[in-house]
Amino acid sequence: MISLYRPGSGFLHRTPAGVKLALLAVIALGLSFVPPTSGAVLPVSGAVVAVSALFLVAGFDVHALGQAWWRLRWLILLLGAALVIFVSVPAAIVNTGRVVVLLLLAELVTRSTSMSALMEVIGRLLRPLRPFGVDPEAVALILSLTITMVPVVGGFVSAVREAQEARGVRLGPRMAVPLLVRTLRHADAVGEALAARGLD
């Protein structure tokens, strides 16, 4: 099962998983209220720079930051180009910037937090719902896998695009098919790993 988690001693590794998840949720909520106007271009651009710098401050090297950005390149180009064409340049910068900030933050959480820590926090938050038929452990596992899959799928997008370029295939909707296949194969691999651990 693919995992971007890397043990470390930086401040982000020492920050409790619950705090990181709460901050991620708050930032996501805050970004959703940012209007896609020219006045928001500078703040969102600053947020992108700040999150990028956080990689280095948190103890990750330039290579890790470069990997994160490389995985996002096609998403940035496709989303940005579509918004420029159909909406406006400020909207493209703001909306693409919001997505980049959230994906980089999700990768930081994934790189600095073990799966077990994520599951423990989410499971603890969901325990009050057990009387209503909710299985906290199962839901925690699903949510943890969802968070860790964000950068993984980003890597799949890059890999599929590179394969298309190597074959001389033009960018288009057909990219969705190999991306779906890779994602489903990864899901099967995750399912097999979980079943091997008795978590099916």
Side-chain angles (χ1 to χ4, degrees):
M1 182 161 52
I2 295 175
S3 175
L4 294 179
Y5 172 67
R6 296 294 179 270
S9 57
F11 83 93
L12 203 57
H13 283 85
R14 299 194 303 270
T15 302
V19 173
K20 285 184 278 193
L21 289 177
L23 288 174
L24 181 61
V26 169
I27 293 172
L29 180 62
L31 286 173
S32 68
F33 290 106
V34 177
T37 61
S38 57
V41 169
L42 187 58
V44 171
S45 300
V48 172
V49 173
V51 174
S52 298
L54 187 57
F55 269 79
L56 306 179
V57 175
F60 299 106
D61 55 20
V62 176
H63 180 65
L65 176 60
Q67 283 183 323
W69 272 98
W70 187 251
R71 275 190 286 268
L72 296 176
R73 69 192 187 284
W74 290 114
L75 174 65
I76 294 171
L77 288 174
L78 291 173
L79 179 59
L83 289 171
V84 167
I85 294 172
F86 296 108
V87 189
S88 66
V89 172
I93 296 174
V94 173
N95 288 323
T96 304
R98 288 192 290 196
V99 172
V100 169
V101 168
L102 290 177
L103 291 179
L104 290 178
L105 285 174
E107 177 151 345
L108 276 172
V109 172
T110 302
R111 283 182 175 272
S112 63
T113 314
S114 66
M115 178 72 78
S116 59
L118 286 174
M119 289 180 59
E120 181 182 353
V121 171
I122 297 173
R124 191 163 58 243
L125 292 173
L126 294 174
R127 275 178 199 144
L129 299 178
R130 191 185 293 275
F132 300 97
V134 176
D135 184 343
E137 289 74 22
V139 176
L141 178 59
I142 293 171
L143 292 177
S144 299
L145 288 173
T146 301
I147 293 172
T148 56
M149 272 295 291
V150 170
V152 173
V153 173
F156 290 162
V157 172
S158 298
V160 169
R161 184 60 201 143
E162 289 170 358
Q164 285 190 328
E165 284 185 329
R167 296 182 176 88
V169 179
R170 295 182 60 185
L171 185 66
R174 71 186 72 183
M175 180 181 179
V177 176
L179 177 60
L180 180 61
V181 171
R182 283 175 178 261
T183 304
L184 290 176
R185 284 178 179 172
H186 179 73
D188 286 340
V190 171
E192 292 173 1
L194 294 175
R197 291 168 174 77
L199 298 175
D200 55 336

